[in-house]
Amino acid sequence: SRNAQFIIIMSFLLGLTGSIGMGKSTTAGFFKDAGCDVWDADAAVHRLYAKQGAAVAPLSNLFPKALIEGTISRQVLKHELQKNPDLIGQLEAIVHPLVAQDRQNFIDSAQSDILVFDIPLLFETGADAHMNAVICVTIDEEEQKKRVLDRATMSEKMFEQIKSRQWSNSRKCEKADFVILTDTLEHVHVQVDNLVAKLRVVKDA
């Protein structure tokens, strides 16, 4: 029947989130290896800010200084928002719908039976409402801090600022359907493969 066919072509939408330094990108890579299509929210923003990106014209009206050689500079944007935090709402009103459209385009063109959405602020922005299930990656706070501060671009102050804008890790894990512990690469790999196998069984049932 037409209805049965519709169910078969529907993909399972899996949100992937976790606080900074918890191993989200690494985990997303293993999902890709397992044959899932992965959409990355940060990469979507990069596309929107790049030359001919959909956010370039509206953002350059709001932040003329951020327009550099046809692209929107994230550094200048950050600087402008620090000077004028009231503009954050206007920035989000432009960028969020464009990111949502990018996500929809991905869903429309994706081929895989499981689509993974790598979204740092999944719960904070309410994007979990669009998912069939959510995974949160986790590691203890000491290891998280070590990983983040090992990045050349990150200071302790910036780390604390980023954390203050995110839900606590325990709250995210509590709300997620699945939790992946990112202690070793081997362990992450096993957990991802097991989860994908489980979801495929459920999906085909």
Side-chain angles (χ1 to χ4, degrees), residues 15-29:
L16 172 63
T17 196
S19 303
I20 181 171
M22 292 283 182
K24 203 167 41 58
S25 302
T26 303
T27 305

Side-chain angles (χ1 to χ4, degrees), residues 25-169:
S25 302
T26 303
T27 305
F30 284 125
F31 275 104
K32 214 173 254 179
D33 294 344
C36 305
D37 287 337
V38 177
W39 181 82
D40 179 329
D42 285 340
V45 172
H46 276 290
R47 282 193 291 279
L48 294 170
Y49 288 6
K51 274 192 179 148
Q52 265 91 50
V56 174
L59 285 183
S60 61
N61 288 332
L62 193 57
F63 304 98
K65 287 182 185 163
L67 184 66
I68 296 173
E69 295 178 359
T71 69
I72 294 293
S73 160
R74 288 175 95 147
Q75 283 306 106
V76 176
L77 213 49
K78 206 188 282 182
H79 183 67
E80 293 291 297
L81 288 171
Q82 277 167 350
K83 280 195 314 194
N84 196 344
D86 296 348
L87 290 174
I88 290 176
Q90 289 181 52
L91 170 85
E92 288 177 345
I94 292 169
V95 175
H96 284 180
L98 293 172
V99 169
Q101 186 56 56
D102 190 279
R103 187 171 72 212
Q104 191 55 50
N105 295 345
F106 164 80
I107 293 170
D108 293 342
S109 62
Q111 301 294 314
S112 177
D113 56 340
I114 299 171
L115 308 184
V116 176
F117 298 84
D118 177 348
I119 306 177
L121 299 176
L122 181 86
F123 290 125
E124 292 87 341
T125 57
D128 56 305
H130 306 289
M131 303 295 146
N132 296 118
V134 173
I135 303 163
C136 185
V137 293
T138 189
I139 194 69
D140 65 78
E141 280 186 20
E142 210 173 298
E143 177 62 22
Q144 175 196 21
K145 188 172 182 178
K146 183 183 172 301
R147 286 178 186 177
V148 173
L149 296 182
D150 278 349
R151 300 175 187 177
T153 54
M154 190 63 68
S155 67
E156 195 149 346
K157 190 182 170 197
M158 280 161 73
F159 173 51
E160 292 305 329
Q161 273 178 337
I162 290 169
K163 264 175 62 174
S164 72
R165 289 203 303 270
Q166 300 184 341
W167 282 18
S168 72
N169 189 51

